[in-house]
Amino acid sequence: MTSSISPAVRAAELAERLGRVQARIRAAAPPGTAPTLIVVTKYFPAADVELLAGLGVTDVGENKDQEAAAKAADTASLGLSWHFIGQLQSNKAKSVVRYAEAVHSVDRASLVRALAKAMEAEQQRRTGAGLPPRADLECFLQVDLRDPAAGVGTTPSGPARGGALPADVPALADAVAAAPGLRLAGLMAVAPLGGDPREAFGRLRALSGQLQETHPGAAGISAGMSGDLEAALEYGATHLRIGSDILGPRPPVR
C-alpha cells in the first residue's frame, strides 16, 4: 500500500518512474511533437495526485466517476486537467462534466445526448452560482479495433474492449460536432488483447485521417498505455494514458 511509506519516499519513487516514462516518450515521439501524458491514477489516493502535480504532471485520468469526482474535489486547487477514460454510463454524465475537461470514451449517440444535456445544465448551474462558464467538453470517440472474425481482442465471455464500430464513427462524429457544449477532439482506442498494437494503431491512424477529412479540427489520437506507448507514438498518438509504469502495482482493493 502506498500509505505505508512516507510522502518523501513515495515522491522519490514517483519521480523515478515518471522520469523513465518521460524518457521513453522523448525517445519514441516523432521530432517536433509533444504528446500529452495523462497519468492514470485509478485505485491510487489523492495524495499521489498531489505528489504527481508537484512533479509537473498536469493531466490526470480516471475511469470511475465516483473515484474521479472525489479526487478532483480533493485536488481542486492544483489546476489539473481531468480526463475521464472509462466506459461511461449516461446517468453519470451530469457528474462527469463538473470536473472533466475531456471524455475519451464516447461510443454511442445516447451518450452524446446525455453529455450535451449535462453540459447545458452545468453551464446554468455555474451561471446561477455566479461562476464563469466552463470550456466545451473535449470528446474523443472510442473505436472498437477488435477483429471478431480472427478472434483477436475477444474473450470466451465476449468482447474484451468497448467502443463504436469504425463504420459508425462518421455519424457519431457528426452528432458530437453538432451538439452545443461539446467539442470533437478526435479518436481513442485500446489495442486489442492478443493482437499486434502497431497494426491496430495503424488502423486507428487511418480512421483519424478519414475523420479529419470532414472534421479537420478533430486531430487528436488517444492511444498508448504502459506496454505499447512506443507503438502508439509511431502511429500518431497525441495523448498517452499511462498508469502502472508511473504509479507502480495496483494497491489492494478493499
Side-chain angles (χ1 to χ4, degrees), residues 8 12 33 44 66-67 87 101 124 130 175 207 212-213 245:
T33 64
F44 288 88
Q66 185 175 1
E67 183 177 355
Q87 296 302 114
E101 177 179 299
Q124 292 174 350
L207 289 169
Q212 291 177 68
E213 290 177 3
D245 274 11

Side-chain angles (χ1 to χ4, degrees), residues 33-239:
T33 64
T36 298
L37 171 60
I38 302 167
V39 180
V40 181
T41 57
K42 62 182 180 180
Y43 304 122
F44 288 88
D48 277 354
V49 177
E50 294 174 356
L51 292 174
L52 288 165
L55 295 170
V57 168
T58 57
D59 292 78
V60 182
E62 288 284 339
N63 72 342
K64 294 183 183 299
D65 171 59
Q66 185 175 1
E67 183 177 355
K71 288 181 191 174
D74 288 344
T75 60
S77 64
L78 300 178
L80 297 169
S81 294
W82 288 85
H83 300 252
F84 191 87
I85 63 173
Q87 296 302 114
L88 179 58
Q89 295 176 316
S90 295
N91 63 1
K92 299 293 186 181
K94 187 174 181 179
S95 173
V96 167
V97 302
R98 296 188 73 159
Y99 61 83
E101 177 179 299
V103 173
H104 291 241
S105 50
V106 177
D107 60 358
R108 60 197 186 279
S110 60
L111 180 56
V112 174
R113 292 191 293 270
L115 288 170
K117 182 178 179 180
M119 279 294 293
E120 181 181 11
E122 173 64 7
Q123 301 293 33
Q124 292 174 350
R125 182 191 73 82
R126 289 174 176 245
T127 298
L131 299 172
R134 62 153 292 164
D136 287 350
L137 181 70
E138 304 274 317
C139 293
F140 290 81
L141 308 184
Q142 184 174 356
V143 185
D144 184 356
L145 296 178
R146 296 178 301 120
D147 183 358
V152 174
T154 62
T155 68
S157 59
R161 307 291 169 105
L165 295 175
D168 295 333
V169 166
L172 194 59
D174 290 344
V176 172
L182 307 185
R183 192 188 83 80
L184 181 62
L187 300 179
M188 180 276 238
V190 178
L193 296 172
D196 180 355
R198 284 180 167 79
E199 189 277 334
F201 294 145
R203 285 189 284 131
L204 182 63
R205 182 169 68 177
L207 289 169
S208 174
Q210 294 169 15
L211 175 64
Q212 291 177 68
E213 290 177 3
T214 51
H215 298 281
I221 298 179
S222 174
M225 299 189 292
S226 292
D228 56 21
L229 71 86
E230 286 84 1
L233 288 169
E234 181 180 345
Y235 287 94
T238 61
H239 294 70

